[in-house]
Amino acid sequence: MDIFKIAEKNQQAAWRILENTRIIPSWEQIGASINIVGSLKSGLLMKNKDIDMHIYTDRLSIPESFSVIQELAARLNLKEIQYKNLIETEEECIEWHVLYEDSERNIWKFDMIHLRKGSKYDGTVERVTNAIIERLTPEIRNTILKIKYDIPDHIMIPGIEIYHAVFTGKVKNYQELEQWRRAHPLTDSLEWLP
């Protein structure tokens, strides 16, 4: 088992899916700018096939946001769509969580977070992603990918919690990760930087 090959294969598949689905141009049609964040951008995509996107517009329009999802649902093999209206919260966003089935019957999750430009968290996840990329060494990358690979399929642990444990707690494996998470829960992932 070569975790680097698995990660590389998943990275390539994710970029192909982004290109083939044309999700980014769909958002651009409403004037949005899109940033890829998280494990796809950092090169740490392992078993969880998810693509994290932050989508920015000058204002948050529910009808415009829905129009993009409607267009995607009409032409893509979407299996599930979840919508969260957080416009009136400090996050100032609309969250879309979409399950997409690719041509090989793999299920990919798109986390599309539609934010207002200039809101409190504008650029926050981008800064965290870039900080992780800057601090990645081959050893840390290997540790993170191995931990992600070893997490049982029925257990979901956000990537940010793994990065927190590895960078802050010097965690080396899945068992240590579980101990670290119990003793040091990450209560505010938006405030943490490696």
Side-chain angles (χ1 to χ4, degrees):
M1 174 224 30
D2 184 334
I3 57 172
F4 290 109
K5 282 185 181 169
I6 295 169
E8 182 60 31
K9 182 180 170 212
N10 287 338
Q11 293 284 128
Q12 290 172 358
W15 288 115
R16 259 192 323 275
I17 283 167
L18 264 179
E19 188 171 328
N20 294 343
T21 58
R22 299 191 41 78
I23 287 176
I24 290 174
S26 292
W27 283 104
E28 288 172 339
Q29 288 185 350
I30 66 162
S33 56
I34 297 89
N35 295 333
I36 302 301
V37 295
S39 58
L40 177 55
K41 177 156 186 197
S42 65
L44 297 170
L45 193 61
M46 183 42 79
K47 289 193 305 188
N48 290 338
K49 293 177 170 57
D50 58 351
I51 298 172
D52 299 313
M53 307 166 70
H54 277 203
I55 298 144
Y56 293 92
T57 51
D58 291 326
R59 65 188 179 88
L60 289 176
S61 162
I62 292 172
E64 282 185 351
S65 204
F66 263 93
S67 74
V68 174
I69 298 302
Q70 181 180 356
E71 186 268 329
L72 295 176
R75 65 180 178 78
L76 298 178
N77 193 11
L78 302 185
K79 296 301 183 186
E80 184 178 307
I81 299 170
Q82 181 188 28
Y83 160 78
K84 285 187 183 177
N85 180 341
L86 301 175
I87 294 173
E88 300 299 326
T89 69
E90 72 174 355
E91 281 93 348
E92 279 190 80
C93 70
I94 299 168
E95 288 188 11
W96 293 103
H97 305 284
V98 175
L99 297 183
Y100 164 75
E101 186 177 79
D102 69 16
S103 58
E104 295 170 20
R105 305 195 70 105
N106 295 308
I107 298 293
W108 290 80
K109 183 180 178 199
F110 285 93
D111 290 323
M112 297 178 280
I113 313 302
H114 183 183
L115 300 112
R116 183 182 65 76
K117 282 183 193 168
S119 61
K120 178 178 179 179
Y121 294 111
D122 181 338
T124 298
V125 174
E126 289 85 343
R127 283 189 292 280
V128 173
T129 301
N130 290 335
I132 289 166
I133 292 167
E134 287 169 17
R135 294 209 41 215
L136 270 183
T137 62
E139 180 186 351
I140 291 173
R141 184 167 188 260
N142 182 61
T143 298
I144 290 170
L145 291 175
K146 180 86 170 76
I147 289 171
K148 285 185 168 190
Y149 185 84
D150 289 342
I151 294 172
D153 291 341
H154 66 281
I155 295 176
M156 290 299 298
I157 300 175
I160 194 73
E161 291 189 31
I162 299 167
Y163 312 146
H164 177 248
V166 171
F167 283 107
T168 306
K170 309 295 184 222
V171 162
K172 297 289 184 204
N173 57 52
Y174 171 61
Q175 290 71 29
E176 289 181 11
L177 172 68
E178 287 294 15
Q179 293 167 3
W180 171 265
R181 289 177 71 225
R182 281 192 292 277
H184 307 90
L186 183 59
T187 53
D188 190 355
S189 62
L190 293 173
E191 297 297 325
W192 176 77
L193 279 173

